[in-house]
Amino acid sequence: MSVDGADAALDLRLAGFAVAAWLAALAGLHLGVQALAGLAAVAVALVLVVALGLRAGRHRPVEPLRRYGWIAVAVLLGALCGAAATGARLAVRDAAPVRALVAERALVTAELVVRDDPRPVRGAPGRSTMLLVRVDLLRLTGPDGGRLTGPVRGLVLATDPGWRGLLPGQRVTTRGRLAEPRGGDLTAAVLSVTGPPTRQGRASWPQRAAGTLRSGLQRACEPLPDAPGGLLPGLVVGDTSRLPPEVEEDFRATGMTHLNAVSGSNVAIVVGAVLLLARWARAGPRTAAGFCVLALVGFVILVRPSPSVVRAAAMGAIGLAALAAGRSRAALPALAAAIAALVLLDPELAGDPGFALSVCATGGLLLFAPGWRDALRRRGVPVGLAEALAVPAAAQLACGPVIAGMSATVSLVAVPANLLAVPAVAPATVLGVLAAVLSPVWPGGAEFLAWLASWPARWLVTVAAHGAVLPAGTLPWVGGVVGALLLAVVSVALLLAARRRRARRLVAAVVVAVVLGALPVRLLASGWPPRGWVVVACAVGQGDALVLPVATGRAVVVDAGPEPSGVDACLRRLGIREVPLLVVSHFHVDHVGGVAGVFRGRRVGAVVSPPWPEPAYGVAQVREAARRGGASLAPAPAGWRWGQGAVRLVAVGPPYPLRGSRSDPNNNSLVLTATVSGVRILLAGDAETEEQRAVRETLPADAIRADVLKVAHHGSAYQDPEFLAAVRPAVALVCVGVDNDYGHPHPALLGRLARGGARVVRTDTDGDVAAVRTATGLAVAVRGAAPGRPR
């Protein structure tokens, strides 16, 4: 009900309560119990003051004052409840016995319950099978035999494949070492384990049923091509284990990532299909409602009743009910109640980006979509098309500030890409759900339904692939909270302006002027790559990716960084469409983790790598990428040569295998000399002191003399001073990640290079960096750090 009982369409008291509870929980997660206690005390005092003020003025009621006074009371009560709920959870998290064991990094025996599906940790150096498992720690037995009882929340980092098959709700025992969590949530400890878990009993029947149906869906998708076959389980149940990395990156670039996670829209599609079927069968309202409830419960069981799924079910049910009733404003109290209940039951949701996106998308669906749909219908747009246009536009508008704050970009292709995706999402989801349900009893029928569902899934893959390669598809924006608030203010201002005809015309004129004026400049005169460039070091985080131009649109790539998206984006910025040669200096993940990004949308002629076959996970990753891309793979021993176009390469190291060094994979990195348009470049991989010394002692000094040096191992301290003196570079490129944990680059090394006359440029502070050949000599061009990137 409303504040005065007359306006049932909008209840700001409940909305204020929910938002205040949310913000109080978020503040508590980051500030701690003491700050929450102060917040609660202030809230109690203000509640008393406002309530006494309203009571004192009850004989002279002023309606606006009365209305907003009760809204203020609701906000203060929400802050008080959020602080109390979060404070109680933080007290458990920060209990002294647990903190003592964590501080000691104690080796413990733990009894725990799995809370969510084990997930692989992407880019974990040296641990290709590392899994992250969210758990409730029920009991910890310390090294002295003392026992601590929970439950408290924890994270398990496991390398044994026995953890992969665990189901949520499974109770296990394991042994491992405790470590500090990163903070900002309710996790009390991180438990690192190397052995398999010991299972205690079986998971609950809903979890076992979900596991059977999910594995049946995966089997039904096995005959399909990789892209649609990997996407379909993601659309239906959020299982992206088979999704190719390039497809995942395309979805991220086009703002379609939400399709790969279980959200309120999945619930709305499934339950909406059941509702339409019930109405077609002329079932009564109660019968239809009963079928919808059964469908909702069944879908939650299918995708596993984890907290994120329960959240999605709540949001989807609210959105579906609002659209079915045609009274979106009346659903605001229901949405506010769901937010408040979920945050008070699990305060950790307050810091979950997925929760924020679900709430924003549902709010946009409720507040904007019906009005926009009706406005389009009044202008003659067909009903189905009006719905298809209004829903994704409203969701994107509401989610835009959150996405901008997280990514420091504003996508220009997200709305059109999602509009094009709308017709395919519902049939793919419904057919995929039917395939999963049918798989235990009729595998052949499940495969047929999966084949039917693969066609709309192929359309989604096509939309994402084409949207990801559009130039100027994203614009830089301010990151963090400031960026989110700024875009929210801009969005609200545009909505208010659109209510007036003159303002609408002015906004339209400004948008057209910006697009016509700025877009051609961005496309044709971006200034990157600079004219005469001979090498570019890509800003890919803590890893290496270098590009040597062979001809227009063609280049040699040396290493691929830790993630596919980074090197792919860098190659797109350089306009590289073909890679005649991909060189892998060695097989650590910070050099090969992004190898799929080099192949994305490009023909790769050949791949060469060092003879040293370690670590094995990196070798397997490169071999698989080469196989899927149709490229040959061969070792490049010392003395190997290659030339094409403007590029000449020679392998000068390692001169012989080095064993027993500080890091054998690093000290067996390929060390290459490259000549590009007359400029000599030394690419040192991750060679450390031992390999640098071996190269220096084996080769004459002029063989490693270079104008440009790619500094070895991200500028680590393990450098041979005499090797650096022999190279004597004019430009030193340091490929390094922002705020890395290794202390790279080492200040003493940077000082030595500068004293030797080198111009030092770094990818963490300068973004993509290039060495440029000019008429007067060698110069440096930098693209600049990405917006929001710390310097």
Side-chain angles (χ1 to χ4, degrees):
M1 65 178 182
S2 69
V3 172
D4 58 3
D7 180 14
L10 193 62
D11 190 339
L12 291 178
R13 294 179 305 177
L14 210 52
F17 179 89
V19 172
W22 187 355
L23 294 178
L26 183 61
L29 292 175
H30 290 278
L31 300 179
V33 176
Q34 293 183 348
L36 277 180
L39 176 63
V42 172
V44 169
L46 291 177
V47 165
L48 293 175
V49 169
V50 175
L52 290 174
L54 291 173
R55 181 177 177 82
R58 68 183 185 279
H59 300 299
R60 300 181 302 278
V62 180
E63 188 58 33
L65 180 61
R66 180 171 173 241
R67 178 189 296 267
Y68 294 117
W70 284 115
I71 291 175
V73 170
V75 169
L76 295 171
L77 287 175
L80 179 61
C81 293
T86 309
R89 297 298 188 93
L90 291 177
V92 175
R93 183 197 71 177
D94 298 333
V98 177
R99 303 303 301 168
L101 285 177
V102 170
E104 296 172 3
R105 300 182 62 86
L107 187 64
V108 299
T109 300
E111 297 180 27
L112 53 90
V113 173
V114 177
R115 299 183 65 238
D116 207 347
D117 292 298
R119 301 181 184 277
V121 179
R122 297 183 63 183
R127 297 179 175 89
S128 61
T129 59
M130 177 174 282
L131 300 172
L132 185 148
V133 190
R134 300 185 182 276
V135 300
D136 283 328
L137 299 171
L138 302 181
R139 182 175 298 174
L140 297 175
T141 304
D144 57 356
R147 291 190 173 187
L148 304 176
T149 57
V152 294
R153 292 190 180 177
L155 287 177
V156 171
L157 295 178
T159 55
D160 191 279
W163 290 85
R164 189 177 296 275
L166 294 180
L167 297 175
Q170 179 76 56
R171 185 165 181 159
V172 302
T173 302
T174 189
R175 186 170 177 81
R177 189 171 298 278
L178 295 175
E180 287 276 356
R182 65 178 183 179
D185 55 24
L186 297 178
T187 303
V190 175
L191 184 66
S192 297
V193 301
T194 56
T198 302
R199 306 191 183 203
Q200 307 291 334
R202 304 172 68 189
S204 62
W205 72 264
Q207 298 290 1
R208 297 199 305 273
T212 300
L213 295 177
R214 290 163 69 97
S215 60
L217 177 61
Q218 284 283 12
R219 287 193 299 272
C221 293
E222 284 178 358
L224 301 175
D226 289 344
L231 176 62
L232 191 58
L235 287 173
V236 177
V237 297
D239 182 0
T240 58
S241 58
R242 281 188 54 206
L243 186 64
E246 59 270 20
V247 177
E248 187 174 2
E249 295 298 334
D250 288 344
F251 270 63
R252 182 177 294 112
T254 51
M256 296 167 61
T257 307
H258 60 92
L259 298 178
N260 295 330
V262 178
S263 65
S265 61
N266 299 75
V267 177
I269 288 170
V270 173
V271 181
V274 173
L275 181 61
L276 289 176
L277 186 62
R279 287 180 175 177
W280 177 78
R282 297 185 178 181
R286 293 185 178 180
T287 303
F291 281 124
C292 288
V293 170
L294 289 176
L296 181 61
V297 173
F299 184 72
V300 170
I301 291 176
L302 171 64
V303 297
R304 297 210 174 125
S306 63
S308 60
V309 173
V310 173
R311 173 201 75 206
M315 297 301 168
I318 291 169
L320 182 67
L323 289 180
R327 301 175 61 193
S328 61
R329 290 183 179 273
L332 184 61
L335 174 62
I339 295 171
L342 290 170
V343 168
L344 295 179
L345 288 173
D346 186 4
E348 193 172 73
L349 287 175
D352 183 2
F355 178 71
L357 290 173
S358 290
V359 171
C360 291
T362 307
L365 187 70
L366 300 180
L367 297 178
F368 305 133
W372 293 356
R373 175 198 59 198
D374 296 342
L376 290 172
R377 291 179 61 183
R378 287 194 297 270
R379 288 165 172 79
V381 179
V383 177
L385 181 58
E387 191 83 46
L389 291 172
V391 169
Q396 186 64 32
L397 177 72
C399 295
V402 178
I403 297 173
M406 292 189 298
S407 65
T409 59
V410 174
S411 175
L412 301 182
V413 301
V415 171
N418 280 279
L419 288 175
L420 292 172
V422 164
V425 174
T429 302
V430 172
L431 289 170
V433 169
L434 293 176
V437 172
L438 197 60
S439 62
V441 295
W442 188 15
E447 287 189 10
F448 175 71
L449 290 174
W451 177 79
L452 289 178
S454 72
W455 291 102
R458 292 170 201 255
W459 170 249
L460 295 174
V461 171
T462 302
V463 170
H466 285 80
V469 299
L470 286 177
T474 59
L475 294 178
W477 194 259
V478 181
V481 176
V482 174
L485 292 177
L486 179 60
L487 186 58
V489 170
V490 171
S491 301
V492 171
L494 291 176
L495 286 176
L496 294 176
R499 294 175 178 269
R500 300 179 180 274
R501 180 176 299 179
R502 291 184 178 180
R504 283 199 301 269
R505 292 177 179 175
L506 178 62
V507 169
V510 171
V511 170
V512 170
V514 169
V515 171
L516 294 180
L519 194 57
V521 173
R522 182 173 173 85
L523 293 177
L524 303 177
S526 65
W528 195 262
R531 185 183 301 273
W533 66 284
V534 294
V535 60
V536 165
C538 300
V540 293
Q542 183 67 9
D544 278 14
L546 296 108
V547 187
L548 308 172
V550 172
T552 302
R554 303 174 66 235
V556 173
V557 178
V558 180
D559 289 329
E563 294 285 348
S565 58
V567 66
D568 178 42
C570 181
L571 293 175
R572 289 181 186 179
R573 292 190 291 268
L574 295 170
I576 303 304
R577 299 181 299 276
E578 183 179 348
V579 178
L581 180 69
L582 169 62
V583 179
V584 174
S585 69
H586 65 296
F587 294 107
H588 277 158
V589 71
D590 55 338
H591 293 250
V592 303
V595 67
V598 179
F599 284 84
R600 184 174 304 156
R602 301 175 189 89
R603 190 180 74 82
V604 178
V607 183
V608 296
S609 62
W612 191 267
E614 293 179 3
Y617 70 87
V619 177
Q621 190 169 4
V622 173
R623 183 180 293 120
E624 176 64 14
R627 183 192 66 80
R628 294 177 64 175
S632 62
L633 175 62
W640 168 87
R641 295 174 180 270
W642 184 91
Q644 192 175 122
V647 178
R648 297 292 180 269
L649 297 175
V650 179
V652 297
Y656 47 82
L658 286 93
R659 296 181 174 85
S661 65
R662 200 192 74 87
S663 172
D664 286 350
N666 284 348
N667 281 305
N668 285 276
S669 293
L670 280 181
V671 177
L672 304 175
T673 59
T675 304
V676 182
S677 301
V679 177
R680 283 181 57 85
I681 304 163
L682 183 65
L683 305 168
D686 272 6
E688 297 183 349
T689 307
E690 294 92 334
E691 185 177 2
Q692 293 178 16
R693 185 179 298 118
V695 170
R696 174 177 55 80
E697 293 174 350
T698 305
L699 299 176
D702 59 354
I704 58 174
R705 172 77 177 89
D707 304 301
V708 180
L709 170 67
K710 198 293 295 185
V711 179
H713 200 185
H714 322 293
S716 77
Y718 301 102
Q719 311 280 340
D720 178 28
E722 295 184 36
F723 176 83
L724 297 175
V727 178
R728 298 201 319 274
V731 175
L733 308 177
V734 183
C735 299
V736 63
V738 177
D739 295 335
N740 64 86
D741 297 330
Y742 307 100
H744 297 162
H746 197 275
L749 173 66
L750 299 181
R752 181 181 295 115
L753 290 168
R755 288 191 299 273
R759 166 77 184 278
V760 180
V761 284
R762 304 164 44 172
T763 58
D764 58 341
T765 57
D766 300 313
D768 296 346
V769 296
V772 181
R773 184 176 181 269
T774 68
T776 58
L778 200 60
V780 170
V782 301
R783 188 171 178 271
R789 185 195 302 273
R791 289 185 173 272

